[in-house]
Amino acid sequence: MKIEDVNALDSDAFISLFGNIVENCSLIAAAIWSSRPFSDVDDIQNQLNKFIDLLPRNGKEGILRNHPDLAGRLAAAGQLTRESTQEQKAAGLDTLTAEEKEKLNKLNTEYKAKFGFPFVICARENKKDAILKGLEHRVQNDLETETLTGVEEVKKICRLRLLDIMENHPGAKL
Amino acid sequence: MKIEDVNALDSDAFISLFGNIVENCSLIAAAIWSSRPFSDVDDIQNQLNKFIDLLPRNGKEGILRNHPDLAGRLAAAGQLTRESTQEQKAAGLDTLTAEEKEKLNKLNTEYKAKFGFPFVICARENKKDAILKGLEHRVQNDLETETLTGVEEVKKICRLRLLDIMENHPGAKL
């Protein structure tokens, strides 16, 4: 899909295609549609980053809260979004040993109790060992640092989802 | 449901219950969870209004874009959210004559082409005649006025959805 094809989408088609590049936050895709025409993928990403950065802290926390727990309840029930299912699988989170799963759940619970949002990490850029280490490290951060760290991970996830869509959707088929 | 029951909800339960008080914008409910404990329903509404008011203009436009057309394609296909289905019915939009439907569709199309988002009005506070008149009037506004007018309607819709939830969900059943 070329950038001209993206720029030709009406808002409904744009939201339908890009609505989940930030997990469960279609408002963000709906907002940046205002910035068309985009010059390239970087421009789309920059508009998204700008929107996220301008949100007050509770908005950034809200973005993180709209993410699922890693290897959590929704994954076990098969209720993750399509994108999250693929990402968690790519990180090997569907092949955790019982011991790893217990450790991850314990740390996830501790993390969520401390910060009020789930641990978010770009699973496609980290295998399960790195994720467990990252969680052990990041749970020690303070709230402000961790909100910003989580949001930077969201931007990385967003980038990969954006590239997937551009690669896999021929404009002609839209 | 009492305010104490709301304040006792974890973020997942809160988002699940209040995620659609702003149509298809669960990010907003996810964000204001940070402001617990709420003192009462007005406090929830005030936090929502504050979040919406602080959004840059593209964010406000994004909220409007996440709303369906009145008596539009989604309504015809039975694909509206539960809340929108009830609201559009309450306004009598499911009993439009062929002539009224044609007029509404023509004005909706004109409105959306001009502003880049659909016409949003609190359908439960307006019957179909008032909606048609409102649309004829508001399509003449400029973009900035109409973005703010639409957002004020969103707040009214939100208020009624909020009251519905508080009335219809006994805390004990959550």
Side-chain angles (χ1 to χ4, degrees):
Chain A
M1 186 177 193
K2 295 179 185 164
I3 197 70
E4 297 80 48
D5 300 318
V6 176
N7 289 330
L9 296 173
D10 67 22
S11 60
D12 291 340
F14 184 84
I15 295 167
S16 168
L17 198 55
F18 293 97
N20 210 49
I21 48 175
V22 181
E23 181 85 2
N24 292 319
C25 293
S26 65
L27 171 58
I28 302 181
I32 65 156
W33 189 80
S34 298
S35 303
R36 290 160 315 121
F38 302 107
S39 51
D40 51 27
V41 177
D42 288 342
D43 188 21
I44 301 179
Q45 179 80 50
N46 289 339
Q47 297 297 337
L48 274 154
N49 292 355
K50 189 171 142 192
F51 185 86
I52 292 172
D53 290 339
L54 282 173
L55 286 173
R57 198 202 276 183
N58 69 349
K60 295 184 176 80
E61 292 173 353
I63 287 177
L64 297 171
R65 262 175 221 131
N66 265 359
H67 282 72
D69 292 341
L70 283 174
R73 191 177 49 80
L74 291 179
Q79 292 177 342
L80 290 176
T81 61
R82 185 177 49 79
E83 294 89 342
S84 282
T85 303
Q86 291 170 351
E87 289 157 0
Q88 298 203 14
K89 194 174 174 185
L93 291 175
D94 59 337
T95 62
L96 292 172
T97 64
E99 196 182 349
E100 287 168 337
K101 202 169 171 59
E102 195 186 327
K103 188 175 174 187
L104 185 64
N105 284 343
K106 187 175 162 288
L107 283 165
N108 260 338
T109 304
E110 188 186 336
Y111 183 100
K112 210 166 176 178
K114 177 170 178 181
F115 299 116
F117 47 76
F119 175 71
V120 175
I121 190 167
C122 181
R124 282 159 78 182
E125 292 187 353
N126 294 277
K127 295 294 173 193
K128 61 183 181 181
D129 293 340
I131 289 174
L132 276 165
K133 276 186 194 144
L135 185 42
E136 281 180 305
H137 171 70
R138 281 173 50 189
V139 75
Q140 300 170 44
N141 281 339
D142 61 42
L143 176 61
E144 187 170 357
T145 304
E146 197 45 30
T147 305
L148 296 177
T149 305
V151 157
E152 291 308 311
E153 294 296 316
V154 168
K155 291 176 185 172
K156 292 181 202 167
I157 297 167
C158 180
R159 174 91 189 161
L160 294 174
R161 291 184 178 185
L162 194 51
L163 292 175
D164 276 350
I165 295 170
M166 298 299 284
E167 277 166 23
N168 299 329
H169 282 266
K173 283 192 184 168
L174 282 170
Chain B
M1 186 176 194
K2 294 178 187 166
I3 198 70
E4 296 81 47
D5 300 318
V6 176
N7 289 330
L9 297 173
D10 67 22
S11 60
D12 290 341
F14 185 84
I15 295 167
S16 167
L17 198 56
F18 294 97
N20 211 49
I21 49 176
V22 181
E23 180 85 2
N24 291 318
C25 294
S26 65
L27 171 58
I28 301 180
I32 65 157
W33 188 80
S34 299
S35 303
R36 290 160 315 122
F38 303 107
S39 51
D40 51 26
V41 177
D42 288 343
D43 187 22
I44 301 178
Q45 178 80 51
N46 288 340
Q47 296 297 338
L48 275 153
N49 293 355
K50 190 171 142 192
F51 186 87
I52 293 171
D53 290 340
L54 281 173
L55 286 173
R57 199 203 277 183
N58 69 348
K60 296 185 175 79
E61 293 173 354
I63 288 177
L64 298 171
R65 266 177 217 129
N66 265 359
H67 282 71
D69 292 341
L70 284 173
R73 189 177 50 80
L74 292 179
Q79 292 176 343
L80 290 176
T81 60
R82 186 177 49 80
E83 294 89 341
S84 282
T85 303
Q86 290 170 351
E87 289 158 1
Q88 297 203 15
K89 193 174 176 186
L93 291 175
D94 58 337
T95 61
L96 292 171
T97 64
E99 196 182 349
E100 288 168 336
K101 201 168 173 59
E102 193 186 328
K103 188 175 174 186
L104 186 63
N105 283 342
K106 187 174 161 291
L107 283 166
N108 260 337
T109 303
E110 187 186 337
Y111 182 99
K112 209 167 176 177
K114 178 171 178 181
F115 298 116
F117 47 76
F119 174 71
V120 174
I121 189 166
C122 181
R124 281 159 79 182
E125 291 186 353
N126 294 276
K127 295 293 172 194
K128 61 183 181 180
D129 293 341
I131 289 174
L132 276 165
K133 274 185 195 147
L135 184 43
E136 280 180 306
H137 171 70
R138 282 174 48 190
V139 74
Q140 299 170 45
N141 281 340
D142 61 42
L143 176 60
E144 186 170 357
T145 304
E146 197 46 29
T147 304
L148 295 178
T149 305
V151 157
E152 291 307 312
E153 293 296 316
V154 168
K155 293 176 185 171
K156 291 181 202 168
I157 297 167
C158 180
R159 173 92 189 159
L160 295 174
R161 290 184 179 185
L162 195 50
L163 292 175
D164 276 351
I165 295 169
M166 299 297 286
E167 277 166 23
N168 298 329
H169 283 265
K173 283 190 185 170
L174 281 170

